[in-house]
Amino acid sequence: MYASNDIPFLDLVTPHVELEEELTAVFRRALFTAGFVGGPMVEEFEQAFAAFCDTSHSVAVNSGTDALRFAIMACGIESGDVVLTVPNTFIATTEAISQAGAVPEFIDIDENTYNMSVERLQEFLEQGCTRNTSGRLVSKRHQRPVTAIVPVHLYGQMADMDSILRLANQYGLTVIEDACQAHGAEYFSGKLNRWMKAGTMGQAAAFSFYPGKNLGACGEGGAVTTNDASVAAKIRMIREHGQAKKYYHDMEGYNGRLDSVQCGLLQVKLGHLAQWNARRRDRAAEYDRLLAGNEAITCPYEPSWSRAVYHLYVVRSADRDGLAKHLKAAGIGTGIHYPVPLHLQKAYKGMNYRETDFPVATRLAGEILSLPMFPQLSSEQQTRVTDGILGFVQDVLISQ
């Protein structure tokens, strides 16, 4: 619990208070129509979110994890296939891969963007794989076919999609975007000569509506976007017990629907998302300005081809833990996303990865610190945050 003059890492109260009347109207609509599962509110949100993302289809599901899992299944990734992703993401990314029957394998990240390194991806495809007798690409580590790449648009900034798609096309791999932190993020595609939204460049993409996301539900939620009508139709079946028509099941599926009330609440918030994202970009620029020239703190790097939406504003410090403790004592909330890379998690001990296998992800996990970031963050609050950081740098780091 924060005191009244403290600065929270995330403020989820203010936006809901500001939208109280619009949000409560959603509940009234559900109560007076008994529209709790499926129906107009779900369809309206799906259409609106697809339009926001510039895709043909959006399918609402009950979590970002299910969104990625269902997308992997619908895109034809088979049991035992290897799916490439990064080690510096929330475990939901690899859970979705594993629970779809596939096997995750990691690619190290770029030192500047913290997203999948194109150089390491190319190196893996050239040196970490071989071809079997039928010509299929096979992982040397797992001795299984490599069929897909899941780039994670971490912290609200898209991965280098042109380069990833070029390699995917060269090696015959499917690309599925993990856009769970990137609602509204954009990438300038040199190949297409235009800005592209997150969720439009792979065969499908997964979004999370966990409450703290840029577009957050009042509970769990997720969605898949795609321009492939057959993928969208398959996901609709998967989320609803494998049925295309009630009581006629073409396959075993899941109870993966997003309820009508959450879709209604999300549609209200969707109308404010562009403005909220713009505010996040403004707040990020202000952090950049206030911290400029301080060599002890590394601010986020945004390439010219990126328009990030700053789900998180993440800095790096040689004494991350000391800095976090210092800011906490000053009443400033922070977060760490993520302290232990996935290849070193106990859950994946059986994969026999070493700490040195992905050196950039491992090193950065000990340096990263997420600062307060939300649309309602004030300039005065940011000045307090950065004064606290600069004071720590002056008193502790420089004196060492």
Side-chain angles (χ1 to χ4, degrees):
M1 182 67 67
Y2 285 92
S4 59
N5 62 336
D6 285 351
I7 302 174
F9 169 66
L10 176 63
D11 179 4
L12 289 181
V13 174
T14 300
H16 292 99
V17 171
E18 292 175 347
L19 299 177
E20 180 181 1
E21 289 303 316
E22 292 179 79
L23 296 174
T24 53
V26 172
F27 288 99
R28 294 190 196 100
R29 181 181 177 186
L31 292 174
F32 285 105
T33 63
F36 303 120
V37 179
M41 282 202 287
V42 176
E43 295 167 4
E44 290 164 10
F45 171 68
E46 289 179 332
Q47 293 169 6
F49 191 63
F52 176 83
C53 293
D54 294 337
T55 58
S56 302
H57 307 277
S58 166
V59 184
V61 297
N62 67 8
S63 71
T65 311
D66 270 359
L68 184 54
R69 175 167 34 142
F70 296 169
I72 291 168
M73 296 169 65
C75 288
I77 310 307
E78 298 181 354
S79 179
D81 285 358
V82 170
V83 176
L84 308 178
T85 192
V86 291
N88 64 326
T89 179
F90 186 55
I91 196 172
T93 304
T94 44
E95 283 178 333
I97 294 169
S98 299
Q99 291 166 7
V103 179
E105 185 152 350
F106 299 114
I107 304 296
D108 208 354
I109 59 173
D110 181 84
E111 175 83 28
N112 296 313
T113 67
Y114 314 151
N115 283 324
M116 182 178 285
S117 166
V118 174
E119 290 76 16
R120 299 291 79 76
L121 174 61
Q122 182 169 350
E123 181 181 87
F124 171 83
L125 294 172
E126 292 175 350
Q127 302 176 23
C129 297
T130 186
R131 297 279 184 180
N132 62 17
T133 54
S134 61
R136 297 191 72 185
L137 192 70
V138 174
S139 161
K140 291 180 180 178
R141 170 180 285 273
H142 294 289
Q143 294 300 305
R144 296 173 182 269
V146 180
T147 60
I149 306 172
V150 175
V152 178
H153 302 323
L154 195 69
Y155 306 151
Q157 178 164 278
M158 290 181 66
D160 186 357
M161 291 301 293
D162 272 355
S163 300
I164 290 170
L165 287 168
R166 174 181 56 79
L167 288 170
N169 291 334
Q170 180 180 343
Y171 287 89
L173 306 178
T174 298
V175 175
I176 301 167
E177 300 170 66
D178 183 336
C180 287
Q181 300 183 2
H183 317 65
E186 294 180 275
Y187 173 90
F188 186 81
S189 170
K191 181 178 180 180
L192 299 175
N193 196 33
R194 61 190 175 95
W195 287 95
M196 303 288 290
K197 287 272 190 76
T200 64
M201 301 191 73
Q203 187 173 0
F207 288 86
S208 168
F209 303 131
Y210 190 74
K213 297 297 168 63
N214 290 32
L215 179 62
C218 296
E220 296 280 2
V224 180
T225 57
T226 182
N227 289 313
D228 189 324
S230 64
V231 169
K234 184 92 177 273
I235 292 170
R236 293 184 194 281
M237 289 177 56
I238 293 171
R239 74 172 178 181
E240 194 140 354
H241 300 288
Q243 59 186 3
K245 184 171 70 171
K246 194 169 184 178
Y247 300 133
Y248 291 83
H249 305 270
D250 294 359
M251 59 184 292
E252 280 194 342
Y254 295 82
N255 182 1
R257 297 165 297 206
L258 184 58
D259 67 77
S260 303
V261 171
Q262 292 294 353
C263 285
L265 298 173
L266 285 165
Q267 185 157 7
V268 168
K269 293 182 176 184
L270 184 60
H272 301 268
L273 181 56
Q275 181 185 28
W276 287 343
N277 282 344
R279 288 181 183 174
R280 286 175 179 269
R281 287 186 56 80
D282 287 345
R283 296 302 90 204
E286 181 71 357
Y287 270 137
D288 290 346
R289 185 185 69 81
L290 292 169
L291 294 171
N294 193 304
E295 296 182 0
I297 300 295
T298 302
C299 293
Y301 170 74
E302 186 173 358
S304 60
W305 41 257
S306 171
R307 288 179 184 157
V309 292
Y310 291 95
H311 169 59
L312 299 170
Y313 186 92
V314 180
V315 299
R316 288 165 53 189
S317 168
D319 186 6
R320 183 268 312 284
D321 294 338
L323 175 57
K325 183 178 179 180
H326 176 82
L327 292 176
K328 182 178 180 180
I332 298 169
T334 60
I336 301 175
H337 302 83
Y338 301 91
V340 181
L342 292 179
H343 69 289
L344 301 180
Q345 294 281 357
K346 185 177 180 180
Y348 298 114
K349 185 178 180 180
M351 290 187 178
N352 298 315
Y353 283 112
R354 299 166 300 176
E355 186 170 336
T356 55
D357 284 336
F358 308 104
V360 179
T362 299
R363 175 165 47 81
L364 265 57
E367 299 177 355
I368 51 175
L369 186 68
S370 301
L371 303 184
M373 171 54 75
F374 45 91
Q376 296 78 19
L377 186 68
S378 69
S379 296
E380 291 76 17
Q381 288 175 315
Q382 285 192 281
T383 299
R384 278 187 55 197
V385 173
T386 54
D387 282 350
I389 293 171
L390 297 176
F392 176 78
V393 170
Q394 181 68 35
D395 295 343
V396 178
L397 294 184
I398 293 179
S399 63
Q400 289 179 347

